[in-house]
Amino acid sequence: YPLRRQRQMCIRDRNYSCSVSDNPEISIVIDRSYGVSVLHGLTKLTDALEAKNISWEKVGTVEDAKGEKIIIAGLSDNNGLASQVLKTRGHIVPEVAEALTILKTKWKKKSVWVISGFDDRGLMYALLDVAERIGWSTNTKSPMAEVEEITEQPAVPERAISIYTMN
C-alpha cells in the first residue's frame, strides 16, 4: 500500500514530480491544470503501466524526462505543452466537448505520444484509450505497440439515452 499511496500523491499533486523507478521507461508530462476526470484517466494509465511492470515517472517538462518514451497529456485549447506540440505539428482537435486526439511524434530521438482532449472529459477518454491499449500489448519491449494515432469526437451530443415505458 505505501507504493500505491505514493503513486496516488504523485498523480494528484500538479506541482509534484516523482518517479517509481530510478531508470523509468516512460516519462509522463502533464499540463498543470486538470480536473477530477483527468485524474481518473491518469490513474488508469499508471495502473496499466504498472500491471505490465513498466517503470514511469511524472515530470514537469520534457527536458526533465529520463524515460525512453514520453507521454505528454493536456488540453488542446490552452497554452500548455500538449497544445503547443499539436499547433507545431499543424494538428487540429475538433472544438467540441469530449473531442480527443492521440498523436505520435519525436523529440530528440525519443518517441513522444501526445494525448490531448478539447476538454477534461476528452482528455480522460484519450487517457483511458491509451491505458486500455497498453493492457492489450503482449510486447514487453514496446508497451505502446497497440496505441494508435486517432482524432475523434462524439457522433451525438449525449452519451446515452434511457427510455422507460410503463405497461
Side-chain angles (χ1 to χ4, degrees):
Y1 291 116
L3 182 58
R4 184 170 176 83
R5 177 174 239 135
Q6 175 189 357
R7 180 178 57 86
Q8 288 173 342
M9 287 300 298
C10 173
I11 294 169
R12 283 191 179 124
D13 190 342
R14 292 172 179 90
N15 300 312
Y16 181 65
S17 292
C18 64
S19 178
V20 295
S21 169
D22 291 335
N23 189 21
E25 296 172 57
I26 294 181
S27 297
I28 303 171
V29 183
I30 308 164
D31 283 352
R32 296 242 185 245
S33 176
Y34 56 86
V36 175
S37 55
V38 175
L39 178 61
H40 172 69
L42 288 169
T43 300
K44 293 298 183 182
L45 175 65
T46 56
D47 284 348
L49 292 171
E50 289 177 9
K52 295 288 184 174
N53 294 316
I54 301 163
S55 58
W56 60 273
E57 68 177 348
K58 184 183 101 174
V59 294
T61 66
V62 177
E63 291 80 11
D64 294 335
K66 296 177 198 167
E68 294 176 23
K69 296 171 184 65
I70 301 171
I71 292 174
I72 299 172
L75 299 178
S76 63
D77 68 341
N78 66 8
N79 290 325
L81 183 58
S83 176
Q84 291 172 11
V85 173
L86 292 172
K87 287 176 187 171
T88 300
R89 293 282 314 267
H91 195 83
I92 298 170
V93 178
E95 294 185 6
V96 297
E98 300 178 6
L100 61 94
T101 195
I102 300 170
L103 175 73
K104 185 177 182 180
T105 188
K106 291 273 189 195
W107 182 79
K108 292 188 178 180
K109 298 183 181 179
K110 291 185 178 187
S111 179
V112 176
W113 286 92
V114 180
I115 303 172
S116 185
F118 178 70
D119 58 8
D120 275 5
R121 283 182 291 165
L123 178 53
M124 177 195 69
Y125 288 129
L127 289 164
L128 292 174
D129 184 77
V130 172
E132 182 176 34
R133 290 173 182 274
I134 288 171
W136 295 348
S137 179
T138 56
N139 184 345
T140 57
K141 300 282 186 206
S142 184
M144 306 292 278
E146 298 294 328
V147 178
E148 295 179 356
E149 289 186 284
I150 59 170
T151 297
E152 60 184 39
Q153 66 188 50
V156 294
E158 299 295 327
R159 281 261 170 211
I161 299 174
S162 298
I163 299 175
Y164 302 95
T165 59
M166 299 294 201
N167 288 341

